[in-house]
Amino acid sequence: MRRLNRKKTLSLVKELDAFPKVPESYVETSASGGTVSIIAFTAIAVLTVMEFFVYQNTWMKYEYEVDKDFSSKLRINVDITVAMRCQYVGADVLDLAETMVTSSSGLLYEPVIFDLSPQQRQWQRMLQLLQSRMQEEHTLQDVIFRSAIKNAITALPPREDSLLQPPDACRIHGYLYVNKVAGNFHITVGKAIPHPRGHAHLAALVSHETYNFSHRIDHLSFGELLPGIINTLDGTEKIATDHNQMFQYFITIVPTKLRTYRISSDTHQFAVTERERVIDHATGSHGVSGIFMKYDISSLMVTVTESHMPLWQFLVRLCGIIGGIFSTTGMLHGIAEFIVDLVCCRFKLGAYKPSSVPLQDGDLANHSFLITGNSTH
């Protein structure tokens, strides 16, 4: 009984076989079939390699949500060189809550030469070229995000030549922690002093002839410092045409969470609008000479995640390529054989011509008799 049940089960399984085996004696090979097989295997190999490169590639996925973090501090990373002596300029931040953050909390004043050395000038030109290309091709930002490394060095290289002249400029670099509200980071004449109605700068002792707010922004970013990221104002250089000149930057900051396979960081992106004008009270152009960066923080937060094709999807696509090419080439080969057989063989050899049947003498007589009889009647 067990053997009978086993035989019935095996026979049932054999009937369900969707891949029947054809004996080799019934298989006929041809040169055309071998050519199509070579083409099919070549196409499979090429597409498999291309699909593997697609599997290795990653892309950046952007997601937007409301920023619910209002209690944390915002870090401002600064590296700006102003064409004035350090004792004549001061930098600080004043936010909408009338909270003043002075530069003594994290900024350093370093006397330098404003003109760059040849190596530094080459670095700045490369940075400006990248900035112009990023404005034209926005996908470069994704490449920069993927290649960002926390310990990468993208700052201005040190001078390779010796100082032959006394310093004529001041490099203000470092960081500040401010409230996460709109504010104004500015560099102007004189050191900042606290004031009951805000703040003030000791500018009375500085001559207007020494005013020169030509400046170079080597780095400006918000949030965690990521040297591998190129920010919007990096490499910017402005030359003042007048002693009393104001440079304004209106900045909109967008909190950004960067999640890649290399780093995970909470940083900020920003967009900027620039404006500059000469201070002339006689013509109604009022203000204070200096560099003013008015920033505001967006309520939306962007999460940038590096995504990768899963392994199962790669295997499914690979099976689709192999099966699709085999099926397609098999169908095309069958259609081509049918057309060649129809055109080249059957019509030329007369396969569809009407065949004439030879008649015997007796048959001819019978046919003649029938024709005669019909004609008589």
Side-chain angles (χ1 to χ4, degrees):
M1 291 297 293
R2 291 182 178 178
R3 291 182 179 180
L4 292 176
N5 293 332
R6 186 177 300 175
K7 289 182 179 180
K8 290 181 180 180
T9 303
L10 290 176
S11 62
L12 180 62
V13 171
K14 289 182 179 180
E15 291 178 0
L16 297 176
D17 187 9
F19 307 98
K21 305 299 184 296
V22 180
E24 293 184 0
S25 58
Y26 294 100
V27 177
E28 182 180 358
T29 59
S30 61
S32 61
T35 304
V36 173
S37 299
I38 293 174
I39 296 175
F41 288 131
T42 305
I44 289 174
V46 172
L47 293 179
T48 300
V49 173
M50 294 176 62
E51 190 66 24
F52 180 73
F53 284 121
V54 173
Y55 171 71
Q56 283 188 324
N57 192 22
T58 60
W59 62 91
M60 307 307 293
K61 181 174 65 174
Y62 292 81
E63 297 176 344
Y64 303 90
E65 58 181 319
V66 177
D67 185 15
K68 301 178 182 179
D69 184 13
F70 300 105
S71 59
S72 62
K73 294 287 186 178
L74 175 65
R75 172 169 170 158
I76 305 178
N77 307 297
V78 179
D79 191 350
I80 301 175
T81 302
V82 185
M84 292 182 64
R85 296 181 182 275
C86 291
Q87 61 266 28
Y88 295 154
V89 294
D92 63 286
V93 177
L94 184 66
D95 58 22
L96 288 182
E98 296 184 355
T99 302
M100 185 180 71
V101 180
T102 60
S103 59
S104 60
S105 58
L107 294 182
L108 300 176
Y109 293 80
E110 179 183 351
V112 294
I113 298 176
F114 187 77
D115 294 333
L116 297 175
S117 64
Q119 182 180 357
Q120 291 175 333
R121 182 63 65 182
Q122 184 179 3
W123 175 88
Q124 187 192 33
R125 289 175 181 172
M126 181 190 65
L127 188 58
Q128 291 174 350
L129 178 61
L130 285 175
Q131 292 283 15
S132 61
R133 292 294 300 272
M134 288 175 60
Q135 292 179 1
E136 298 174 0
E137 302 178 12
H138 300 285
T139 54
L140 287 178
Q141 185 64 53
D142 294 346
V143 178
I144 293 175
F145 278 153
R146 286 196 294 267
S147 60
I149 305 175
K150 288 187 176 182
N151 296 326
I153 300 176
T154 57
L156 181 69
R159 300 185 68 93
E160 72 277 8
D161 54 354
S162 58
L163 297 177
L164 301 179
Q165 59 181 356
D168 59 352
C170 184
R171 179 191 174 199
I172 304 174
H173 60 98
Y175 60 91
L176 293 171
Y177 282 98
V178 298
N179 297 323
K180 206 171 181 181
V181 295
N184 183 3
F185 170 74
H186 52 272
I187 302 173
T188 187
V189 180
K191 302 298 181 181
I193 57 174
H195 193 272
R197 296 185 178 181
H199 77 296
H201 288 261
L202 291 174
L205 302 178
V206 182
S207 174
H208 283 76
E209 300 299 327
T210 61
Y211 286 15
N212 184 4
F213 283 100
S214 300
H215 61 279
R216 182 177 59 253
I217 303 176
D218 296 326
H219 180 77
L220 179 68
S221 64
F222 300 87
E224 184 179 352
L225 181 61
L226 293 177
I229 300 294
I230 298 177
N231 296 278
T232 307
L233 289 175
D234 292 356
T236 301
E237 186 176 45
K238 297 292 183 180
I239 304 300
T241 58
D242 192 273
H243 293 293
N244 295 326
Q245 192 161 349
M246 173 189 290
F247 295 91
Q248 292 177 305
Y249 299 91
F250 301 94
I251 300 173
T252 301
I253 304 171
V254 180
T256 304
K257 291 183 178 180
L258 185 59
R259 303 288 183 265
T260 67
Y261 292 105
R262 292 187 176 186
I263 62 171
S264 178
S265 173
D266 293 337
T267 182
H268 294 73
Q269 301 179 85
F270 63 92
V272 62
T273 302
E274 304 175 11
R275 182 190 178 192
E276 58 182 83
R277 60 187 175 92
V278 176
I279 303 300
D280 189 357
H281 299 287
T283 59
S285 179
H286 304 291
V288 178
S289 302
I291 305 168
F292 297 86
M293 298 181 179
K294 299 181 179 180
Y295 59 89
D296 194 5
I297 302 176
S298 174
S299 59
L300 290 179
M301 181 176 61
V302 181
T303 302
V304 184
T305 307
E306 185 177 8
S307 300
H308 186 271
M309 181 187 297
L311 180 61
W312 66 266
Q313 187 175 354
F314 169 71
L315 296 177
V316 169
R317 290 166 64 100
L318 198 61
C319 293
I321 289 174
I322 297 174
I325 290 178
F326 267 117
S327 300
T328 304
T329 52
M331 289 176 11
L332 293 178
H333 182 243
I335 293 173
E337 279 191 338
F338 175 76
I339 294 175
V340 170
D341 183 60
L342 184 66
V343 175
C344 299
C345 300
R346 298 190 180 183
F347 277 112
K348 288 186 178 181
L349 297 178
Y352 289 98
K353 290 182 180 180
S355 59
S356 58
V357 181
L359 298 176
Q360 302 294 330
D361 294 339
D363 296 335
L364 181 62
N366 293 334
H367 282 281
S368 300
F369 177 77
L370 292 174
I371 294 173
T372 305
N374 292 335
S375 61
T376 305
H377 286 287

